[in-house]
Amino acid sequence: MTATSVLLAPQKVAKQRKISIAKAITEATAQEMRRDPSVFVMGEDIGAFGGVFGMTTGLLAEFGAERIRDTPISETAFIGAAVGAAAVGMKPIVELMFVDFLGVCFDAIYNLAAKQSYFSGGAVICPMVLTTSVGGGYSDAGQHSQCLYATFAHMPGMKIVSPSNAYDAKGLMVSAMRDPNPVIFMCHKGLQGIGWLGTVRRTIVHVPEELYTIPIGEAAIVREGTDITLVGWASTVHLAIDAADTLKAQGISAEVIDIRSIVPLDIETILKSVKRTGRLVVIDEDYSNCGVAGEIIAQVSERGFHDLRSPPGRVAYPDMPPPFARVLEQAALPSATKIVDTVLDL
């Protein structure tokens, strides 16, 4: 199934209420917690501090320390505890502050959360949401700047979403909280709307106050076009839109797709687009080697080879840890200029 993105569709509302991704996620969490007493939140600095990225601001005051639980700095312990809580009927939201910290709690995520339902023949499910922040661009080196989308996508048993705007963030978060499977909710730091980081203004869109859902596994067409398909998610959607604007001035019509969900992947929407345009470029802030961009290209090549008029291209992060020096990091990151150059090469 395919949806038209809020970034493209005209918003027919009497009054626009534009908020950031962080506020949209906080609102979704609060509204679902009011509706469902089994939902609770746990993680480092998510209580009185409101979360490093502002995604739990104000929740402690409303729900108290029983449901908004600050934890010690022990990711393995509190993610393992979340898996256990999910096994006995609770619906935990657990925050892994930076995705780079995956290394210290890999066992709890993959050998426990992802495999629990499979190992029990479906008798013990794991309705858990793991929120984590990804992405670089602000000179915090290899300890806090990776994306690691493909690391999670490679491991079966989990769903993975990464929104590009506040409307999608709220709808996907509600869907994640109601899903019986573990869902990894990956938020790009450059899009969340935190003042000290800055944000892409295009992410701040109208978000309805009422609860709504966006199906996990449904891509959105952000920009319609006829000459080439640009595929991205989270931050790279905005790079693709900027590139499409530049290409338009050169007489090239680019279609932009936001996959929104990495697992499951809406490959049908991409295939239909490539059938119309005949060309494909995938943009990914994760590492190029064995990345999600490469997987999308592989699936399109396997199933839509005869629709391609030229070899597909990708713009991704080079296979090296993110450097601390700003000039080096900016040179490594995907950019609209790199996308335009890749398109023109095709």
Side-chain angles (χ1 to χ4, degrees):
M1 298 178 65
T2 309
T4 301
S5 171
V6 69
L7 297 178
L8 172 66
Q11 299 174 39
K12 299 176 181 178
V13 291
K15 185 178 180 181
Q16 297 257 326
R17 187 186 72 115
K18 295 185 176 182
I19 61 175
S20 68
I21 286 177
K23 289 181 179 179
I25 290 173
T26 302
E27 182 173 273
T29 303
Q31 290 176 331
E32 191 69 3
M33 288 182 72
R34 294 176 198 132
R35 191 190 72 86
D36 186 346
S38 67
V39 179
F40 72 99
V41 188
M42 62 194 305
E44 299 161 0
D45 294 325
I46 57 95
F49 193 69
V52 170
F53 301 103
M55 293 193 295
T56 53
T57 301
L59 297 184
L60 179 64
E62 178 174 356
F63 298 103
E66 283 294 309
R67 296 183 71 190
I68 306 297
R69 290 177 168 264
D70 271 321
T71 67
I73 303 176
S74 179
E75 289 82 2
T76 298
F78 63 74
I79 292 175
V83 175
V88 295
M90 301 299 286
K91 295 181 180 179
I93 302 167
V94 57
E95 181 175 309
L96 178 64
M97 190 182 295
F98 293 89
V99 75
D100 314 75
F101 301 164
L102 165 70
V104 300
C105 52
F106 188 88
D107 185 64
I109 296 171
Y110 185 49
N111 284 322
L112 299 182
K115 298 177 181 177
Q116 185 160 268
S117 180
Y118 186 82
F119 281 176
S120 67
V124 182
I125 60 175
C126 190
M128 178 183 100
V129 180
L130 189 150
T131 62
T132 189
S133 293
V134 305
Y138 62 107
S139 299
D140 217 359
Q143 296 91 341
H144 302 86
S145 304
Q146 298 171 102
C147 285
L148 304 185
Y149 300 123
T151 303
F152 289 98
H154 182 68
M155 301 183 294
M158 303 178 292
K159 296 182 178 181
I160 304 161
V161 298
S162 194
S164 67
N165 62 80
Y167 179 88
D168 288 355
K170 181 174 179 179
L172 288 169
M173 186 63 180
V174 177
S175 293
M177 288 185 283
R178 297 179 182 180
D179 200 294
N181 303 284
V183 179
I184 312 297
F185 203 100
M186 307 181 81
C187 288
H188 195 285
K189 295 186 284 291
L191 306 184
Q192 286 172 291
I194 306 304
W196 60 276
L197 274 175
T199 192
V200 177
R201 297 299 300 176
R202 200 185 286 119
T203 65
I204 301 174
V205 297
H206 171 70
V207 177
E209 291 189 38
E210 65 272 11
L211 278 171
Y212 60 91
T213 61
I214 291 176
I216 296 174
E218 183 178 292
I221 297 174
V222 174
R223 179 77 59 89
E224 295 175 343
T226 57
D227 297 326
I228 190 162
T229 300
L230 305 179
V231 176
W233 55 96
S235 62
T236 61
V237 171
H238 299 281
L239 299 179
I241 293 172
D242 292 340
D245 288 339
T246 300
L247 291 166
K248 183 178 180 180
Q250 301 184 43
I252 298 172
S253 174
E255 182 149 293
V256 179
I257 294 176
D258 179 356
I259 63 171
R260 301 195 290 197
S261 166
I262 298 170
V263 178
L265 175 66
D266 182 4
I267 193 65
E268 296 299 330
T269 293
I270 300 171
L271 287 167
K272 289 176 182 177
S273 178
V274 171
K275 190 176 184 66
R276 291 192 299 270
T277 67
R279 297 177 179 86
L280 171 68
V281 172
V282 187
I283 309 99
D284 185 359
E285 196 181 317
D286 199 1
Y287 302 119
S288 178
N289 186 44
C290 300
V292 175
E295 175 61 25
I296 292 171
I297 289 170
Q299 291 196 36
V300 171
S301 298
E302 289 168 348
R303 299 177 57 185
F305 177 78
H306 295 294
D307 296 320
L308 290 167
R309 301 176 194 168
S310 65
R314 62 178 150 177
V315 177
Y317 205 93
D319 297 318
M320 66 178 189
F324 172 76
R326 178 172 175 79
V327 65
L328 295 178
E329 184 184 32
Q330 292 300 315
L333 287 165
S335 68
T337 299
K338 290 180 182 179
I339 298 169
V340 170
D341 289 345
T342 303
V343 170
L344 295 178
D345 285 343
L346 298 182

